[in-house]
Amino acid sequence: MDSNSLAMPMSDPNAWATAMNNLGMAPMSMTGQPIMSDFDPSLGMMTGIAPMNPMMPGLGIVPPPVSQDMPIVKEIIHCKSCTLFPPNPNLPPPATRERPPGCKTVFVGGLPENATEQLIVEVFEQCGSIIAIRKSKKNFCHIRFAEEHTVDKALFLSGYRVRLGSSTDKKDTGRLHVDFAQARDDLYEWECRQRMLAREERHRRRIEEDRLRPPSPPPIVHFSEHECSQLGEKLKDDSKFAEAVRVLLTWVDRGEVNRRNANNFYSMIQSSNSHIRRLMNEKAAHEKEMEEAKEKFKNALAGILVQFEQIVSVFHAASKQKAWDHFSKAQRKNLDMWRKQAEEIRNIHNEELMGIRREEEMEMSDDDMEDALESKDSDDSGPLAQVEALKEENDSLRCQLDAYRNEVELLKQEQGKAQPQRSEEDTTRQQQLSFLQQALQGMQKQLLKLREDLKQRETELEKNSEEKQQLESQIQSLKDRIQALPTSHALPLEKAEREDRGDESTNHSSEAAVAVVSCSQEKENQPEKGPPSPVKSEREALLVGIISTFLHVHPFGASIEYICSYLQRLDTKISTTEVETLLGRLPCTFKQELTGVGASLEKRWKFCGFDGIKTA
């Protein structure tokens, strides 16, 4: 709507100037020209507020909100076709409803009956730009503005009396009531604006989270022969070990290990294990540096304490009478204060040094207590501890043997691929390998002797327990038979026959008792002559049958670990020692042989039942 068509000539410029002066604004016409050239803002009723131009954008005839402590003075407003008279200032302010969110629409009631839409535009357009007007036939309308802040300016006109021209007719007068109105368009625009702000906030938070999120780790390469060889070289390098061991862990977790590349993975794991010594050395170096730093700090602190002692002794010497009398009163006060400060600092440092020494003494006492406990445990543990130590040593030596065996196999594979000419280095390596093989053979012999001794002791204990049980069972059976003899041989004969044949029955009973005693003696002597059965239960018999079938399929024999891995598929409770003791009790069915030379030396069990049945 064109604003020039609504220009309002003021019929009373003095009233307009008075109202503008009271509001703290420079009196200006609707065209923007000053009415009073000698305007002084300090003479207005609202002093202390900077003067405002009513023609500024966003401002109209309504002043900005002022402090609630200051009274708002409303004046007469002259328009083109009507006049607005202010309400009584002593009356309370008009009541309004709660402001809806995003409100741009106002309800205007109390319009004159002869009011037109042009009159409504003439009065309220000075508050702000109007988008739409919905007028009713019952003297009220709804006005929708373009901005939210213009609604506050429209509420300023609530309570004004309207008079069209100079008419006093009732249809040409009315009292305005302006209040907030709830419109769907306002609510929709407000919700759209809130959603837009929420999207912007989410976008801003997402950008901030992306900026603060730590970078993703580099991707792990896929397994291949080429990458495996490169990873083996990286594992040997101290600077690249951390990255390489992470790749190795990922490969193992993914299940890249199979029978074809098991040796490569074993060598990489062995390379990782070799870094343990380096890490321990680094830790020891850092601990040594820490101890050296502690020692250096302790020595420096001791030197500082010596100097503190000297300073305190100087103060004590100065406080003696032959030197103290020559100082003035202010100097004596300063000397006394300095002496107290020096003594306090010396005591603090002395306590710190004593605390360090106390900690060292406590560490030494803890070490002594640990050594004493270890010695006590070693004294208490008898043959059981020796057996456990032998088993642990056996396991460690077996692991070392496997490691050396794999190294020898890898060396043989590399030599078979490359086939380099032998040089002096090769000869020295061969000598070292031969020395290592000899040492391993000696260690293996010692281990075999120890294991045979343990087996013999275990078999002797088992035999003694079996013989004891058999003897107890035989004694019990003999007692039962002796008690049952009189009743078993008593026959229901007639009295006459007993009298006639009394002598014969006594002879027969004595002969039967002698026969029973002789039979019992023969049974007692019988287990001493024949050895006990090597198979004790049905479970062991089943194991013997399964192992015989398995070894019959492997004519060159199999190691005890291979046999146990096969049996554990059937029953996970089967242990290596149980199978090995069972095989040792059947020398005519199974025999143990050593195959290989040097580092490849291995013990294998073979089935010899077809040959043993001839000698058994």
Side-chain angles (χ1 to χ4, degrees), residues 363-570:
E363 290 177 358
M364 292 176 65
S365 63
D366 292 339
D367 295 338
D368 294 340
M369 289 176 66
E370 289 178 359
D371 295 338
L373 289 174
E374 288 178 359
S375 62
K376 184 177 180 181
D377 293 339
S378 62
D379 293 339
D380 292 341
S381 60
L384 293 175
Q386 294 179 0
V387 172
E388 293 294 332
L390 288 173
K391 287 183 179 179
E392 291 179 358
E393 186 177 0
N394 186 11
D395 294 337
S396 63
L397 289 172
R398 185 181 295 170
C399 294
Q400 292 179 6
L401 179 63
D402 293 337
Y404 287 130
R405 187 183 300 159
N406 289 326
E407 287 183 0
V408 170
E409 289 179 359
L410 290 173
L411 288 172
K412 285 181 180 179
Q413 289 178 3
E414 291 178 358
Q415 289 177 0
K417 290 180 182 178
Q419 293 182 357
Q421 296 180 356
R422 291 199 172 186
S423 59
E424 294 180 358
E425 294 179 357
D426 294 335
T427 55
T428 54
R429 287 181 181 176
Q430 291 293 334
Q431 290 177 0
Q432 291 177 358
L433 287 174
S434 62
F435 291 150
L436 288 172
Q437 289 175 357
Q438 291 175 3
L440 287 173
Q441 287 178 359
M443 294 166 68
Q444 286 177 353
K445 289 178 181 179
Q446 292 178 1
L447 287 173
L448 290 173
K449 288 180 181 180
L450 291 172
R451 293 181 70 178
E452 288 175 358
D453 293 339
L454 288 173
K455 287 180 182 178
Q456 288 177 0
R457 291 181 182 178
E458 290 177 356
T459 52
E460 287 176 359
L461 289 172
E462 290 177 357
K463 287 179 180 180
N464 292 331
S465 61
E466 290 174 359
E467 291 176 358
K468 184 179 178 182
Q469 291 177 359
Q470 290 177 0
L471 289 174
E472 289 177 356
S473 62
Q474 290 175 4
I475 290 169
Q476 187 66 30
S477 64
L478 285 173
K479 288 180 179 179
D480 296 338
R481 288 179 181 178
I482 289 169
Q483 291 176 0
L485 277 175
T487 59
S488 63
H489 291 279
L491 298 174
L493 299 175
E494 296 178 357
K495 294 180 180 181
E497 292 177 356
R498 286 181 181 177
E499 292 176 357
D500 296 337
R501 299 177 183 179
D503 297 334
E504 292 179 1
S505 63
T506 53
N507 293 330
H508 284 298
S509 62
S510 62
E511 289 175 2
V514 171
V516 169
V517 171
S518 62
C519 289
S520 64
Q521 289 178 357
E522 288 177 359
K523 288 182 179 179
E524 286 178 1
N525 297 328
Q526 187 176 358
E528 294 178 357
K529 293 178 181 179
S533 175
V535 181
K536 300 177 183 179
S537 62
E538 185 178 359
R539 183 172 180 273
E540 291 186 353
L542 289 172
L543 287 177
V544 169
I546 294 169
I547 294 170
S548 301
T549 307
F550 180 76
L551 292 178
H552 184 63
V553 177
H554 297 78
F556 296 103
S559 62
I560 190 69
E561 290 83 3
Y562 190 21
I563 296 170
C564 288
S565 65
Y566 176 74
L567 292 174
Q568 285 174 356
R569 294 181 183 177
L570 304 175

Side-chain angles (χ1 to χ4, degrees), residues 186-197 199:
D186 297 344
L187 183 62
Y188 176 74
E189 289 182 2
W190 181 79
E191 289 177 351
C192 291
R193 187 164 60 254
Q194 295 298 319
R195 284 195 291 270
M196 182 183 67
L197 294 175
R199 284 196 298 271

Side-chain angles (χ1 to χ4, degrees), residues 76-90:
I76 300 173
I77 300 174
H78 296 276
C79 296
K80 181 179 179 181
S81 57
C82 65
T83 306
L84 302 177
F85 296 93
N88 187 356
N90 297 323

Side-chain angles (χ1 to χ4, degrees), residues 1-49:
M1 186 178 291
D2 191 2
S3 61
N4 295 327
S5 61
L6 297 175
M8 296 180 293
M10 293 181 296
S11 58
D12 190 1
N14 294 325
W16 179 266
T18 304
M20 300 294 286
N21 185 17
N22 293 334
L23 293 173
M25 297 185 293
M28 302 181 71
S29 66
M30 300 302 290
T31 58
Q33 304 206 348
I35 298 174
M36 299 173 61
S37 58
D38 54 350
F39 172 72
D40 187 3
S42 61
L43 298 176
M45 295 178 66
M46 302 177 70
T47 58
I49 301 175

